[in-house]
Amino acid sequence: WVNMADAYEEVVRGTLKIKGVSEGGVKKKKKKKMLNKESIEKALMAQKESSVEDDNNTKENTKKDARTAAEKAFAKIQQERQAEKILKKASKSHKERVEEFNEHLDELSEHYDIPKVSWTK
C-alpha cells in the first residue's frame, strides 16, 4: 500500500519560469514605423537595386537560371505588383481606412439593417 502523499513529494512549487526571460515579463519587439511615403519608396528602390545586384552576382557566381523568359517576366511583374500593393496600403493610416469604411457603410441602404420586432406596436 503506497501512501498518496508520497506521489506528490517531488512536485516543484512556485511561479512558472519562462525560458529566456530574466526578472520580469515577456519583452515584445517594437514595431518598425515608416515615417512617410517617400521613405517607403526609397526603401523599395534600395531593395530593388540590391535585388538586381544580387541577381547579377548570383548569375556570375552560380549556375544558369533554368526559368523560361515568360517565367522571368511573370516573376518581375509580380514583384512590381507587390511593391505597388505595399505602397497603396502604406499610403493610408488605420484611422483613415476606418473612416472610409464607415462612410461606405453610411451610404448603404437601410435594406440590410435588422428590422425592429415588437408585438405591442
Side-chain angles (χ1 to χ4, degrees):
W1 146 260
V2 177
N3 191 358
M4 291 301 289
D6 293 338
Y8 294 101
E9 284 182 10
E10 297 179 17
V11 174
V12 177
R13 293 189 173 112
T15 60
L16 294 174
K17 306 282 192 271
I18 300 175
K19 291 183 179 180
V21 178
S22 61
E23 299 295 328
V26 176
K27 295 182 181 176
K28 296 182 180 180
K29 292 182 181 178
K30 292 186 179 181
K31 292 183 180 179
K32 294 182 181 178
K33 190 173 182 181
M34 292 289 187
L35 297 178
N36 55 22
K37 192 173 182 179
E38 293 172 0
S39 62
I40 295 171
E41 290 175 355
K42 288 179 184 177
L44 285 174
M45 293 302 243
Q47 183 182 9
K48 284 183 181 179
E49 289 173 3
S50 66
S51 66
V52 169
E53 291 173 2
D54 289 342
D55 288 343
N56 292 339
N57 291 339
T58 54
K59 286 181 183 178
E60 294 171 0
N61 295 337
T62 60
K63 53 190 167 189
K64 291 183 178 178
D65 192 5
R67 298 182 297 171
T68 63
E71 289 174 332
K72 291 176 188 175
F74 176 76
K76 182 180 176 184
I77 290 173
Q78 283 222 321
Q79 284 181 343
E80 291 172 1
R81 285 183 183 161
Q82 187 176 13
E84 289 175 11
K85 188 186 269 188
I86 290 170
L87 283 175
K88 184 178 176 185
K89 281 203 170 206
S91 66
K92 290 185 185 177
S93 68
H94 175 71
K95 185 176 181 180
E96 291 170 342
R97 276 191 231 111
V98 169
E99 289 173 354
E100 187 176 296
F101 180 68
N102 285 335
E103 289 172 7
H104 170 70
L105 290 178
D106 288 340
E107 292 172 1
L108 290 177
S109 67
E110 304 296 324
H111 171 74
Y112 295 105
D113 285 348
I114 300 172
K116 184 176 180 182
V117 176
S118 174
W119 292 104
T120 59
K121 292 185 180 180

